[in-house]
Amino acid sequence: MKILLVMQGMQPEDWRRQLELLTPTETVGIWPGDGRLDSVKYALAWHPPHGALAQLPNLEAIFSLGAGVDHLIGDPALPNVPIVRIVDPNLTMRMTEYVVFHVLLHHRRFHDYDRQQKLKQWQELHQPAAKEVRVGIMGMGVLGTDAACKLRDLGFQVAGWSNSVKDISGIESFAGSDGLPAFLNRTDILVCLLPHTPDTEGILNKKLFNSLAQDGQLQGPVLINAGRGKLQIEDDIIAALDSGKLHAVSLDVFEHEPLPASSALWQHQGVTITPHNASESDDRALSKYILEQIKKYEAGDGLDNIVDNARGY
Amino acid sequence: MKILLVMQGMQPEDWRRQLELLTPTETVGIWPGDGRLDSVKYALAWHPPHGALAQLPNLEAIFSLGAGVDHLIGDPALPNVPIVRIVDPNLTMRMTEYVVFHVLLHHRRFHDYDRQQKLKQWQELHQPAAKEVRVGIMGMGVLGTDAACKLRDLGFQVAGWSNSVKDISGIESFAGSDGLPAFLNRTDILVCLLPHTPDTEGILNKKLFNSLAQDGQLQGPVLINAGRGKLQIEDDIIAALDSGKLHAVSLDVFEHEPLPASSALWQHQGVTITPHNASESDDRALSKYILEQIKKYEAGDGLDNIVDNARGY
């Protein structure tokens, strides 16, 4: 049993079934398993209990079953082995779908037309051309870059903000904390795809909202967060919507998930909520990816997409 | 006064202002104008009164102020001069926005999530990957081809149906009435961008809906019509929604526009309505295009995008 599933909040049986279909000669264990923890070389992890991974003495690699690794990094007893992030085209495409859809939702004033339909009102509303609208993407990794390119191809003015300057055709690049004010100041629709790290926690706050462009062609600045809930200060979002500093928001992630019924976000004007489904893990595609990585590693060719623990992603 | 605006349902003063800004030495007339109809060489037309264009003895070309020309072709006294269709990148991009947005609206089950939000329900719903969903586009002219390519880039399986076979990378092509059944039979989301001609009138009917794929990964077939209202039989759409032959529809055009308050479509389950705004004419961009065409024509270089009157588009 060299593969062990260590997960909370996902169904390990579904993963085991999928993995064993793809690799019939292998037995896949589920934490805490049958006790033979010293045979485990690879852990497939999602929100593992703190300390669980430390009990695997011969662990060689950890595979994170989602785009982020914040669910791992917080474990004080995390073994010092490579952590592999999932970079799956299926995951990327779903995130791009989410981002493109929510940008167009606001750009095309869908909520206004929906209200009009309910009132049987036939009324065309002003809408700028895409080339008059500036989208800004925070986080220009694999996901951010793909979404940025698709939005650029639809005609939007797209810029990205990341740790280092990126050279992507037709996409303006801003980097680091020095580049943040100018990036925000030219942004009408802000898309956040950042990982959750000590540096990014609470970055979507009042000060940031106040820095967004106030001279845009839309009715006001728009925020789309499909990164992590801990990036946002929800009280600041509500205050910014009330004061008009934000016109509308689409949120896929929240400070506390599932979003409590008591949250004012559920029914606040201008808020579109999805239940952290922007990019769901497809266990079939991800299982295939992980088994390919293990095969590659055992052939001596190393692992792809290893997390830099110092950066936290 | 060689340019005359002949329009109903648009504001000719806005167009005149825009044109005169771009060509300050020219006077632009508004039908019926100042009576000197023999000086008019170019008519810019939108739903002109029947017979009006016939009163321009020295007319050399008609410019249609939208993507379709059905509003002109019906005039029994239409002068025998070239009709120029508008092919404006701005118009194309807006139509692509509309198509991509409404495909994603259904693919991402937005209406279901919207209902859940109103009930404060946090529940992830099954959604296939884009590569498991087959989009079919009827009408593969400039607009259809651009929308098809953007949807292909988002990962959908895209096919087009047109008069003749088209060779576009990654997009399956079906042609003519012989190709229609196979095209429909592999289509989960049908996008209609056809022009209105005697051949296409009423093509979106019960028989067509019954031919759509019944084995798709979505909850049922979806229709998106952003072509012309006369292509659809609205009673058949409602019956197909009621019987489950269609799961949902997005309609931008209608048999009668504005859609009468008495129409059952307004509040029917599964119907998304927009007020014929999929691709609005931007008078600034279109004015520029038309003046460039006139300049090119007067320099002896001919006109682009001339309508084939026999085909009707």
Side-chain angles (χ1 to χ4, degrees):
Chain A
M1 187 194 64
K2 68 183 183 192
I3 299 177
L4 186 70
L5 295 161
V6 190
M7 45 180 63
Q8 297 182 102
M10 277 189 185
Q11 299 301 324
E13 293 77 12
D14 294 349
W15 283 88
R16 174 155 66 180
R17 197 175 314 118
Q18 195 57 56
L19 286 159
E20 291 186 349
L21 271 175
L22 290 165
T23 173
T25 57
E26 200 69 60
T27 317
V28 175
I30 295 176
W31 168 266
D34 57 6
R36 292 183 297 119
L37 295 180
D38 55 355
S39 64
V40 175
K41 292 167 74 176
Y42 312 107
L44 278 50
W46 185 249
H47 290 278
H50 284 185
L53 296 170
Q55 295 176 38
L56 307 170
N58 297 309
L59 193 65
E60 298 189 20
I62 300 167
F63 293 86
S64 168
L65 298 176
V69 294
D70 42 339
H71 65 104
L72 288 168
I73 298 286
D75 183 349
L78 190 68
N80 184 24
V81 299
I83 300 172
V84 177
R85 273 184 314 127
I86 296 295
V87 178
D88 173 59
N90 189 36
L91 211 81
T92 306
M93 293 189 110
R94 281 180 193 253
M95 183 57 90
T96 294
E97 279 175 17
Y98 179 91
V99 173
V100 168
F101 175 67
H102 284 269
V103 166
L104 289 174
L105 181 89
H106 298 290
H107 175 62
R108 299 287 306 201
R109 302 183 65 169
F110 181 75
H111 286 302
D112 293 328
Y113 283 115
D114 192 41
R115 263 189 293 276
Q116 289 190 173
Q117 178 175 347
K118 288 183 175 64
L119 300 169
K120 302 187 180 186
Q121 275 178 357
W122 179 277
Q123 172 74 48
E124 192 166 338
L125 306 170
H126 173 72
Q127 185 218 307
K131 67 182 175 194
E132 297 171 294
V133 175
R134 299 161 295 182
V135 180
I137 299 187
M138 300 179 86
M140 287 293 283
V142 173
L143 300 181
T145 300
D146 190 67
C149 291
K150 298 296 191 297
L151 289 166
R152 173 200 63 196
D153 295 347
L154 286 169
F156 291 97
Q157 289 178 49
V158 182
W161 180 72
S162 44
N163 270 337
S164 53
V165 171
K166 306 268 176 181
D167 182 18
I168 306 167
S169 169
I171 294 171
E172 202 177 352
S173 177
F174 295 85
S177 47
D178 289 352
L180 189 57
F183 166 79
L184 296 171
N185 194 243
R186 55 68 70 200
T187 292
D188 301 313
I189 300 180
L190 182 69
V191 177
C192 180
L193 296 174
L194 290 170
H196 174 213
T197 71
D199 285 342
T200 62
E201 185 158 321
I203 195 173
L204 301 175
N205 58 35
K206 180 181 176 178
K207 180 161 173 265
L208 179 140
F209 304 145
N210 286 343
S211 306
L212 290 167
Q214 295 295 324
D215 62 345
Q217 296 291 310
L218 300 177
Q219 293 161 286
V222 170
L223 167 69
I224 298 170
N225 186 11
R228 284 288 182 261
K230 299 288 187 199
L231 305 177
Q232 74 200 13
I233 307 294
E234 291 172 5
D235 287 346
D236 286 5
I237 291 176
I238 288 173
L241 286 165
D242 288 340
S243 72
K245 285 291 181 184
L246 285 175
H247 172 67
V249 300
S250 286
L251 304 175
D252 187 51
V253 291
F254 301 90
E255 290 178 20
H256 302 285
E257 295 181 11
L259 182 64
S262 59
S263 170
L265 288 170
W266 280 112
Q267 297 181 344
H268 197 282
Q269 171 84 13
V271 178
T272 302
I273 287 174
T274 47
H276 202 146
N277 75 330
S279 184
E280 62 181 10
S281 303
D282 170 331
D283 55 3
R284 191 175 27 158
L286 299 194
S287 295
K288 209 171 144 216
Y289 173 85
I290 290 165
L291 293 172
E292 280 165 4
Q293 285 288 313
I294 290 175
K295 199 171 158 189
K296 192 165 167 281
Y297 172 75
E298 298 198 333
D301 294 331
L303 292 161
D304 298 325
N305 299 305
I306 293 176
V307 172
D308 178 337
N309 288 23
R311 289 193 311 179
Y313 61 92
Chain B
M1 188 194 64
K2 69 183 183 192
I3 298 176
L4 185 70
L5 295 161
V6 190
M7 46 180 62
Q8 298 181 101
M10 278 190 184
Q11 299 300 324
E13 293 77 12
D14 293 349
W15 283 88
R16 174 154 68 182
R17 197 175 314 117
Q18 195 57 55
L19 288 158
E20 290 185 349
L21 273 173
L22 291 166
T23 173
T25 58
E26 200 68 59
T27 318
V28 175
I30 295 176
W31 167 266
D34 57 6
R36 293 182 298 117
L37 297 180
D38 56 354
S39 64
V40 175
K41 292 168 75 177
Y42 311 106
L44 278 50
W46 185 250
H47 290 278
H50 284 185
L53 297 169
Q55 294 176 39
L56 308 170
N58 297 309
L59 191 66
E60 296 188 21
I62 301 167
F63 292 86
S64 168
L65 297 177
V69 294
D70 42 339
H71 64 104
L72 289 169
I73 299 286
D75 183 348
L78 190 70
N80 185 24
V81 300
I83 299 172
V84 178
R85 272 183 315 127
I86 296 297
V87 177
D88 174 59
N90 188 36
L91 211 80
T92 305
M93 293 189 109
R94 281 179 192 254
M95 182 58 89
T96 294
E97 279 175 15
Y98 178 91
V99 172
V100 168
F101 175 67
H102 283 270
V103 166
L104 289 174
L105 180 89
H106 298 291
H107 175 63
R108 299 288 306 200
R109 303 185 63 169
F110 181 74
H111 286 302
D112 293 329
Y113 284 115
D114 192 40
R115 264 189 293 276
Q116 289 190 176
Q117 179 175 346
K118 287 183 175 65
L119 300 169
K120 303 187 179 186
Q121 274 178 358
W122 178 277
Q123 173 73 48
E124 192 167 337
L125 306 170
H126 173 72
Q127 186 218 307
K131 68 182 173 193
E132 297 171 294
V133 176
R134 299 161 294 181
V135 180
I137 300 188
M138 300 179 86
M140 288 292 283
V142 173
L143 300 180
T145 300
D146 191 67
C149 291
K150 299 296 191 296
L151 289 166
R152 173 200 64 198
D153 295 348
L154 287 169
F156 291 97
Q157 289 178 48
V158 183
W161 180 73
S162 44
N163 271 335
S164 54
V165 171
K166 307 266 177 182
D167 183 17
I168 306 167
S169 169
I171 294 171
E172 202 177 351
S173 176
F174 295 85
S177 46
D178 288 352
L180 189 57
F183 167 78
L184 295 171
N185 195 242
R186 54 70 68 202
T187 292
D188 300 313
I189 300 180
L190 182 69
V191 177
C192 181
L193 295 174
L194 291 169
H196 174 213
T197 71
D199 284 343
T200 62
E201 185 158 323
I203 194 172
L204 301 175
N205 57 35
K206 180 182 175 179
K207 180 162 174 265
L208 180 140
F209 304 145
N210 286 344
S211 306
L212 290 167
Q214 295 295 323
D215 62 345
Q217 296 292 311
L218 300 176
Q219 293 161 286
V222 171
L223 167 68
I224 298 171
N225 186 13
R228 283 288 181 263
K230 299 288 187 199
L231 306 178
Q232 75 200 13
I233 308 293
E234 292 172 5
D235 286 346
D236 287 5
I237 291 176
I238 289 174
L241 286 165
D242 288 341
S243 72
K245 285 292 180 183
L246 285 175
H247 173 67
V249 299
S250 286
L251 304 175
D252 187 52
V253 290
F254 301 90
E255 290 177 21
H256 301 285
E257 294 180 10
L259 183 64
S262 59
S263 170
L265 288 169
W266 280 112
Q267 296 180 344
H268 197 282
Q269 171 84 13
V271 178
T272 302
I273 286 174
T274 47
H276 201 149
N277 75 330
S279 184
E280 62 182 9
S281 304
D282 170 332
D283 55 3
R284 191 174 29 157
L286 299 194
S287 295
K288 207 169 146 217
Y289 173 85
I290 290 165
L291 293 172
E292 280 164 5
Q293 285 288 312
I294 291 176
K295 199 171 157 190
K296 192 164 167 283
Y297 172 76
E298 297 196 333
D301 294 331
L303 292 161
D304 298 326
N305 300 305
I306 293 176
V307 172
D308 178 336
N309 288 23
R311 289 192 311 180
Y313 62 93

